[in-house]
Amino acid sequence: MSTIDEVKSRIDIVDLVSEAGVKLRHAGKNYTGFCPFHDNKHTPAFVVWPESGTWRCFGQCNEGGDIFKFVMKRDGLDFKEALNKLADRAGVKVESFVTEKPEVKEAHEHLRVLLEDAIIYYRTHLFNNKEILTYLREKRGLSDSTIETFGLGYAPHGYDNLLKQFAPKGYSEQEMIEVGLLTDREDGKRYDKFRNRIMIPIRDENGKMAGFGARIVDPNDIPKFLNSPETPIFSKGRILYGLDRARKPIRMADQAVIVEGYLDVIALHQAGYENVVSPMGTALTEDQLRLLKRSTRRIVLALDPDAAGQKAVLRGLDAARSAMDREGELGFDARGLLRNEARLQADLRVASMPDDLDPDEIVARDKDEWARLIENAKPIVTHVMEALAAGQNLNDAKVKNQIAAQVLPLIEDLPSPMERDTYRQALSRMLKVDERALTGTQVQGPVVRRKPRVTAQTKKAESPVVALNPTLMIESYCLGVLLRRPEFLYSLDRKLQEFGLSALAADDFEYTDHQLVFGIVRSAVEQDEREHRHYVVSHLSALGSDVSKDLLAQIENAELVEDKVLEELLLRLIDLRRMNAMTNMNQLRFLQEDDQQQNGTNKKMYQEQTIQVTKLIHGLDQAKKKMALKRQA
């Protein structure tokens, strides 16, 4: 992950804008407020999109950007200064510019290809094994379509099956070791890691193969589930199983449900509950929750009903409390000094599984019962109180103290004073103590403490994984091609003009680092003193950071066929412009409705902007139709 992506993942734009004095209010999934860059006290025309980490002013400024652009405009900084400032805030070290070695990226892609081949191998053995296939169909209730969709397979008995299968295809033993398909014995021999197990492919949030999960067939085998080991492309603490398929359903439902098992995820997706993911048998990590946070802040933990499942709920609390955003709330201490009391902004709930059933068993018994269980999920504090009290002697003073010591810090994390008071009252009733005993004294015990804010002096944490959105992916592709062949910009501009569209500009890119990279490409083709690619590389290096680290890796790709690439670029740019235009159109409609309630002060301005956006969308649609007709001719 690049430094820029890491900074973006650690700083929430809502917090950043709020700290600048902008009072934001919810507007659907977005936030609106008064623009801090010009005088406007009538209608809030400043919009923040948390999911993409961007903002835009639909008023006098008529511009927008990401966290870097916001700080640059607010503080009068250039990009490097803004990057350093935000990196310091996030506790991220800004490394000197180093081009990622293309051979490393190529090696990782080769390992993914090996894993894809392994899926085919395991799938073939599954459909040749009637016993395992019958188990999945009848015992687990999975359809052939679901088995195919999730790529399920079977690892047969034996210790050298994979060596015999893949060595003739050109894969080395070392590569099979690196992806976790083989393992080393003490005597130095290598053998198949997965044997007589149901194989479940694990993909990252972008759908790229990362590893396997394997479930036992023989009940006497241990462990019940076996994951691929940590590899260059697989880290189970940074991946949520099923997220590649669940991201869109999570956004649509504005809710993510976390279960424990792979087969739970698969069964629930088959039943139509596609906003479900699994942390692969480990406690929730900050990286995993950051992935979910990009799509929703409403999370339900629906873990197995056994003791291990309940402990997993409690283990997950620290990660959840440190990964979710907090809103600053001013308060006074005894010395009259202001301090910042962090409050959680996430809605964490727990769904209790009835009758000692696992999630897949519940949905098999009654499909609608699952929806009711999730709907009736209890707030996390309520669940913790009940879980800690279960089976305990609540008349014992020490038990009361231990429970209070764990629950009170959670109550203090709640954002609403009314909620905090309500839960203190509930806790005092449950423990049968005066509420003043909970608020007036310092409870001793194993208090669950909040992790401190990361600073530059703090030991650098592992880089979280960033979930890509469509805009970011399209921008990255387009810039990757232009970095590879800057001269394509001439032809691309002509193609755009041919279809009645304006030339490519920095404003087409949403992210500040992408705008800078494009500016360098544009400057390269407008000068004639140096070869284009040399100009680009030298100026990117001069930025002093890894602004284009991931993009530059694409320079080493295979030769590009100009006609095909230009057509692909044109299509993607049209899609990019249309996505941005539709986002702006939807927001303008909301702003117009809001403005009407405020006597229509900005009615004319919004109408003019709406007409402009409508014309743009029409022009883009017409260009795409012309392209389609031209291909058919």
Side-chain angles (χ1 to χ4, degrees), residues 402-534:
Q402 291 171 355
I403 293 174
Q406 294 181 73
V407 175
L408 285 175
L410 301 180
I411 294 176
E412 292 307 308
D413 271 345
L414 294 169
S416 166
M418 183 174 294
E419 283 185 271
R420 295 195 293 274
D421 285 345
T422 300
Y423 281 117
R424 287 194 198 99
Q425 292 169 14
L427 182 61
S428 69
R429 288 195 300 270
M430 185 182 79
L431 300 179
K432 299 177 184 179
V433 298
D434 193 314
E435 186 181 347
R436 289 173 295 182
L438 301 177
T439 58
T441 62
Q442 179 67 36
V443 182
Q444 301 296 322
V447 179
V448 180
R449 298 187 182 277
R450 182 187 304 115
K451 293 184 179 180
R453 178 182 291 274
V454 179
T455 64
Q457 288 75 33
T458 307
K459 182 179 181 181
K460 183 177 178 180
E462 290 187 0
S463 301
V465 179
V466 177
L468 296 179
N469 60 47
T471 298
L472 185 59
M473 295 173 70
I474 294 175
E475 290 187 9
S476 298
Y477 170 80
C478 294
L479 286 174
V481 173
L482 291 176
L483 286 173
R484 174 71 173 85
R485 298 286 294 276
E487 65 275 11
F488 277 9
L489 189 55
Y490 289 127
S491 302
L492 184 60
D493 284 345
R494 285 197 299 270
K495 286 281 187 182
L496 289 166
Q497 186 177 12
E498 177 185 337
F499 290 104
L501 303 174
S502 60
L504 189 61
D507 289 343
D508 282 313
F509 299 94
E510 194 168 45
Y511 298 92
T512 305
D513 46 323
H514 288 176
Q515 292 175 356
L516 287 171
V517 171
F518 175 76
I520 292 173
V521 173
R522 174 66 74 184
S523 298
V525 300
E526 290 178 350
Q527 57 85 40
D528 55 10
E529 295 180 1
R530 302 179 62 184
E531 195 269 338
H532 293 160
R533 284 180 59 189
H534 290 164

Side-chain angles (χ1 to χ4, degrees), residues 161-172:
N161 293 315
L162 290 176
L163 277 174
K164 292 177 180 178
Q165 176 71 20
F166 291 115
K169 293 185 176 182
Y171 294 110
S172 67

Side-chain angles (χ1 to χ4, degrees), residues 470 575 593 626:
D575 289 341
E593 293 174 1
K626 290 178 183 178

